[in-house]
Amino acid sequence: MVRTRVKQVDSDILIIGGGMAGTGAAWEAKYWCRGCRIVLAEKANINRSGAVAMGLSAINTYLGLKCKENTVEDYVKYVRGDLMGIVREDLVYDYARHVDSTVHLFDEWGLPIWPAPNGCYVREGKWQIMIHGESYKAIVAEAARKAIGDDNIMNRVMVTHLLKSPSNPNRVAGALGFNVNDGTIYVFKAKAIIMAAGGGSQIYRPRSQGEGLGRSWYPPWSSASSYGMMIESGAVMTMFEARFVVPRFKDGYGPVGAYQLMLKTRISNVNGQDFWKPHLEEIRKLYSGKGKYVDLPITPTTLRVYAQRLEWINGRGPSLMRTDETVKKGTDSEAIAFEDFLDMTISQVAIWAGQNHEPSERPYEVITTEPYVMGSHATECGAWASGPEDLSPRKIDGLPDDRGTQYYWGYNRMTTLDGLFCAGDACGANPHKFSSGSFTEGRLAAKSAVLYLMDHSDERIDIDKGQVDSMISKLVEPLERWEEGRYSVVTGPSTMHPVDPGKIYWKQGLFRLQKIMDEYAGGWSTMYTTNEWMLNRAIELLQFLKEDFINYAAARDWHELMRTWELWHRILTAEAVVRHMLFRKETRWPGYYVRADYPALDDENWHVFVNSRYDAKTGRWELWKVPVIHIIEFP
């Protein structure tokens, strides 16, 4: 019998996740609600957690409104074009009109942003500015800590499940989690909850194996917990078919932005030729010969990725970043080249050192990654959320007056579950937030959560003791299973791969999940290609994995229990991805995946959002289309 210590934590607002969105939510919530108790739970430590943990060399979303460099409308057009026409323009417009103020806060807090002679910032690209950002996250976290107080920051606490109100099955009233160091179980009770627990990596098999096992571009600790918790609670989710593949420097997953945008470095095939032009007409055929997306001022990310893959298929790969043409030894270009990685991807510098590589002397391979499930980069997975009142249509004619089909139901960034808000990777259909936009969206969600508290000040928040006891039993069941059968393990507890026919451990389950998704759901081993048969096979195998998890998952300590519940969140997210891909019968993002049985874009039938809802009691999924409403005129 596993002995546990249970603590109840009452709060006005509970923030789940301490990345950029979570810290933004904490800072903003305290500004508007100084008498409130705001609690933030983070499974790591907010000083170095989330996607910005290692730092960044640029802020990718800054409009420069003060210097009249860009407009909000132009940014919405850019985001819409990059996602092949399908974004929630109300949500994108909303964070875009506020993101500059967030960056100015970062500047005030001490983030070293490169100043330009004209009083603006040094540009990396049209929307990006350069920073000395190794300590980016630590600076932002300090502001959140000072705002709500260190006593309300619960580091090393993983939240695993949301709790519903016993009187309202659509009302989220709390959450359940545990300290991964000492095993203390926390029952959180909250009047409003902001979900900001990040997106999902390692759902697909990474390219890195052996010594590099687990190395990925998006952080390996981002376990899709935002999605897993919301899916299991019955929130409406959106656009999980738009998972993301990105070109990165080989093996170290170093980003390519500074090289392409700041240093103007081209990517070629192995013959030194352009990778894009040979495939221009072939790509146009996907769009019935039209240049609607092909001929935009900035080529959409998915099409650039697709062109590189076509080069490999034609035997002219891999792609090469021609650093030998733009990085000059002993100059500022070399300093920028190395600082770019030292700020955020140190492993790439280590690989270059180990391979005796000098970027000024030779090009380096660029390769596409395994897919990621996220909502803040050039993709839009996440929860379906209410938009801002002034931008979102109140009622879409011809559709049921249901939150899962409408754009607005009262509180900006509130999910279809009452009292549950989302931000960053957790909020779907509004991509290209990156770090500054995610922090901004956390601020927007927090302001709405405070308004929600004010409007429901007389509401009594209850959580059912029976529900809590049942979920605690479920939470620690993997530990119980280990204790009950520990002496049947053949190889003993010291190995990472115990042999026991009656149990499944987190790493075994993770390898199994990655194999399913890689081979059947458009991973890198199939050149990101899938079809209806393969997707149905993936669903079948995922059901077996879910059954084995429920009946046989075992954990030997609290750290393994964390990994075990991370696996569960990844499994639920993986199923959402597969079911969405199966539902959308077209290939809208060919660089991210190709539906070989529906290889072209079909705007007539699929210029829509795909939404879904999961019933945890029955295991059934419901999927449907929602029209795309454009608020900006754009071809």
Side-chain angles (χ1 to χ4, degrees):
M1 183 72 178
V2 176
R3 299 179 63 182
T4 59
R5 180 175 59 162
V6 180
K7 284 187 176 182
Q8 181 169 315
V9 177
D10 295 339
S11 64
D12 294 294
I13 297 175
L14 171 65
I15 301 168
I16 302 175
M20 292 298 290
T23 50
W27 187 86
E28 187 77 15
K30 197 61 178 180
Y31 180 88
W32 295 104
C33 198
R34 297 182 186 272
C36 294
R37 186 184 183 193
I38 300 154
V39 172
L40 187 152
E42 163 60 50
K43 73 178 179 184
N45 185 298
I46 69 166
N47 289 333
R48 289 289 183 178
S49 63
V52 184
M54 286 195 295
L56 287 177
S57 64
I59 290 176
N60 281 359
T61 307
Y62 179 75
L63 274 64
L65 299 176
K66 181 180 68 173
C67 293
K68 298 182 180 179
E69 295 174 296
N70 294 293
T71 68
V72 176
E73 290 76 11
D74 283 342
Y75 189 77
V76 175
K77 293 176 183 178
Y78 157 64
V79 175
R80 173 173 156 187
D82 197 63
L83 269 295
M84 315 306 284
I86 301 181
V87 295
R88 281 280 300 273
E89 294 183 22
D90 56 331
L91 300 182
V92 175
Y93 194 106
D94 193 30
Y95 78 73
R97 63 182 171 180
H98 295 293
V99 72
D100 282 15
S101 68
T102 286
V103 175
H104 298 156
L105 284 173
F106 296 163
D107 199 348
E108 291 176 20
W109 295 341
L111 179 67
I113 306 176
W114 295 18
N118 63 355
C120 302
Y121 299 128
V122 172
R123 283 278 173 192
E124 181 187 63
K126 184 174 177 60
W127 309 107
Q128 303 84 5
I129 56 175
M130 297 297 292
I131 64 175
H132 298 292
E134 187 278 333
S135 296
Y136 187 5
K137 183 62 201 305
I139 292 169
V140 170
E142 183 181 23
R145 287 173 35 233
K146 287 182 175 179
I148 67 175
D150 284 331
D151 291 344
N152 293 314
I153 303 284
M154 305 190 69
N155 290 314
R156 303 303 292 164
V157 172
M158 181 189 185
V159 179
T160 57
H161 297 83
L162 297 174
L163 300 173
K164 297 288 191 67
S165 166
S167 58
N168 179 0
N170 200 58
R171 175 74 161 92
V172 175
L176 188 70
F178 66 97
N179 186 293
V180 302
N181 286 339
D182 63 23
T184 301
I185 293 176
Y186 290 95
V187 179
F188 295 99
K189 188 177 175 183
K191 298 173 184 176
I193 295 177
I194 300 173
M195 180 62 71
S201 67
Q202 307 237 6
I203 291 170
Y204 283 81
R205 179 162 48 198
R207 285 188 178 274
S208 296
Q209 304 293 317
E211 289 180 331
L213 184 64
R215 177 67 193 150
S216 57
W217 163 69
Y218 193 62
W221 55 80
S222 292
S223 55
S225 290
S226 287
Y227 308 140
M229 282 186 271
M230 292 192 290
I231 289 169
E232 197 165 26
S233 296
V236 172
M237 311 303 285
T238 190
M239 298 305 293
F240 275 74
E241 70 275 25
R243 34 30 59 107
F244 182 45
V245 172
V246 57
R248 287 295 179 256
F249 281 96
K250 191 173 183 294
D251 299 326
Y253 288 82
V256 300
Y259 291 83
Q260 289 189 281
L261 298 174
M262 186 71 177
L263 299 177
K264 310 302 181 187
T265 309
R266 71 187 181 99
I267 296 177
S268 75
N269 61 24
V270 292
N271 299 322
Q273 301 162 328
D274 183 82
F275 73 91
W276 169 255
K277 292 179 182 177
H279 306 287
L280 185 57
E281 293 309 314
E282 186 174 353
I283 291 173
R284 278 202 177 103
K285 288 179 182 178
L286 292 172
Y287 306 101
S288 302
K290 300 174 183 177
K292 182 175 182 180
Y293 300 109
V294 180
D295 298 324
L296 289 172
I298 300 176
T299 306
T301 308
T302 180
L303 298 187
R304 296 198 304 270
V305 173
Y306 185 53
Q308 289 186 51
R309 190 161 85 246
L310 291 175
E311 280 292 274
W312 301 333
I313 291 172
N314 283 276
R316 296 187 291 269
S319 300
L320 299 176
M321 182 71 74
R322 303 306 304 229
T323 55
D324 54 324
E325 298 174 351
T326 58
V327 177
K328 304 303 180 184
K329 199 164 185 63
T331 68
D332 287 346
S333 63
E334 185 180 48
I336 292 170
F338 277 101
E339 185 183 350
D340 181 51
F341 291 146
L342 292 172
D343 272 343
M344 60 177 171
T345 315
I346 298 171
S347 60
Q348 192 68 59
V349 179
I351 287 172
W352 280 6
Q355 296 178 350
N356 298 323
H357 177 79
E358 286 284 354
S360 61
E361 297 175 356
R362 56 175 294 185
Y364 201 82
E365 298 165 65
V366 173
I367 198 163
T368 50
T369 65
E370 65 277 3
Y372 301 98
V373 186
M374 56 191 304
S376 64
H377 207 281
T379 189
E380 51 187 328
C381 311
W384 184 252
S386 178
E389 185 175 6
D390 64 325
L391 296 174
S392 308
R394 287 300 191 101
K395 179 75 171 67
I396 302 176
D397 295 335
L399 291 179
D401 190 14
D402 173 81
R403 292 179 179 180
T405 60
Q406 299 296 324
Y407 281 46
Y408 175 81
W409 50 93
Y411 297 96
N412 192 9
R413 264 61 177 193
M414 190 169 83
T415 70
T416 55
L417 300 178
D418 290 330
L420 179 65
F421 297 79
C422 59
D425 282 305
C427 188
N430 65 126
H432 283 278
K433 289 171 279 198
F434 302 105
S435 61
S436 55
S438 293
F439 190 96
T440 302
E441 192 164 51
R443 296 175 63 193
L444 294 169
K447 192 173 182 180
S448 294
V450 172
L451 179 62
Y452 185 85
L453 294 185
M454 295 169 62
D455 290 346
H456 296 79
S457 59
D458 296 333
E459 183 181 8
R460 179 183 174 87
I461 301 299
D462 289 316
I463 51 178
D464 182 73
K465 186 178 184 305
Q467 179 194 16
V468 170
D469 291 344
S470 173
M471 294 196 75
I472 290 176
S473 297
K474 179 180 179 181
L475 175 67
V476 301
E477 191 173 32
L479 292 172
E480 299 275 10
R481 197 171 283 125
W482 162 255
E483 288 294 331
E484 291 172 3
R486 61 187 302 178
Y487 297 110
S488 65
V489 178
V490 174
T491 54
S494 62
T495 178
M496 283 301 293
H497 299 282
V499 178
D500 184 347
K503 300 180 182 65
I504 181 172
Y505 297 89
W506 72 270
K507 184 165 281 191
Q508 296 165 335
L510 185 63
F511 288 163
R512 189 165 149 193
L513 171 66
Q514 291 174 351
K515 180 176 172 62
I516 293 168
M517 296 299 288
D518 181 57
E519 295 180 357
Y520 295 104
W524 61 268
S525 71
T526 63
M527 294 297 282
Y528 313 102
T529 301
T530 188
N531 58 41
E532 184 171 350
W533 189 96
M534 295 168 75
L535 292 169
N536 278 318
R537 179 59 173 160
I539 290 174
E540 181 181 27
L541 294 173
L542 286 172
Q543 300 316 302
F544 296 155
L545 179 56
K546 287 172 70 176
E547 292 169 9
D548 286 349
F549 182 96
I550 292 168
N551 294 310
Y552 304 114
R556 295 170 291 184
D557 54 35
W558 294 103
H559 179 80
E560 282 201 2
L561 188 66
M562 176 186 70
R563 296 297 185 211
T564 301
W565 286 111
E566 286 178 341
L567 172 62
W568 179 244
H569 294 157
R570 284 184 168 108
I571 291 171
L572 290 174
T573 302
E575 187 175 2
V577 169
V578 174
R579 291 187 181 276
H580 275 243
M581 291 170 70
L582 185 61
F583 187 80
R584 183 179 285 277
K585 292 176 170 51
E586 66 162 359
T587 296
R588 183 164 291 266
W589 305 278
Y592 301 165
Y593 73 93
V594 171
R595 273 290 302 263
D597 42 356
Y598 297 96
L601 180 144
D602 181 359
D603 256 341
E604 183 177 348
N605 296 300
W606 291 101
H607 190 81
V608 293
F609 298 107
V610 172
N611 287 5
S612 66
R613 184 187 288 112
Y614 175 68
D615 186 333
K617 292 182 179 178
T618 64
R620 294 178 180 172
W621 291 78
E622 178 187 6
L623 291 97
W624 63 94
K625 300 178 182 179
V626 176
V628 175
I629 305 296
H630 297 300
I631 65 173
I632 301 294
E633 289 296 325
F634 185 45

